[in-house]
Amino acid sequence: MEIMIVAAAVGIMVLITMPSFLKERATTHQRACRKQLRHLSAIKQQWGNEHKRPAAATPTPAQLQIYFDKHRMPVCPSRGTYTLRQLNLEPTCTRAALGHTF
């Protein structure tokens, strides 16, 4: 009987803390995505300057991957995908509705 009471108490505590855990996780993903979007924007500008490209040029992921560690493009932590767009436009994430914006 005592074990059942302890198990019920633990279950109630989990139910109470789960929403705040999930909210914090979503906030952390949002911040990480924003940071990566800023980094992508800076790398795009660096690529454009080094290769003397006009503002309307759009780099491909293959052209930018050499600027990243282990030559891997960043990935959205919420499984969104990044769109690089033209040099004069900021990159976007498909999870923009969740606050994953530049």
Side-chain angles (χ1 to χ4, degrees):
M1 187 70 159
E2 295 166 356
I3 293 174
M4 290 174 64
I5 293 172
V6 170
V10 169
I12 290 170
M13 288 191 287
V14 167
L15 288 174
I16 290 171
T17 59
M18 189 59 79
S20 62
F21 170 76
L22 293 175
K23 183 180 178 186
E24 188 59 36
R25 180 177 165 204
T27 302
T28 301
H29 284 186
Q30 182 185 47
R31 286 182 187 145
C33 185
R34 285 180 175 178
K35 181 179 177 184
Q36 289 180 11
L37 285 169
R38 284 192 298 273
H39 192 203
L40 274 171
S41 181
I43 293 297
K44 276 180 25 178
Q45 295 306 315
Q46 182 179 350
W47 173 84
N49 290 336
E50 287 180 4
H51 296 281
K52 297 180 174 72
R53 300 294 175 145
T58 303
T60 64
Q63 292 170 320
L64 297 183
Q65 71 184 12
I66 63 170
Y67 294 95
F68 294 99
D69 290 337
K70 300 180 184 177
H71 302 289
R72 284 192 230 154
M73 291 292 288
V75 179
C76 176
S78 294
R79 296 193 177 132
T81 51
Y82 295 129
T83 304
L84 294 173
R85 304 188 340 155
Q86 298 174 341
L87 291 176
N88 58 346
L89 300 173
E90 301 300 343
T92 60
C93 178
T94 55
R95 301 285 189 188
L98 299 175
H100 294 223
T101 57
F102 189 82

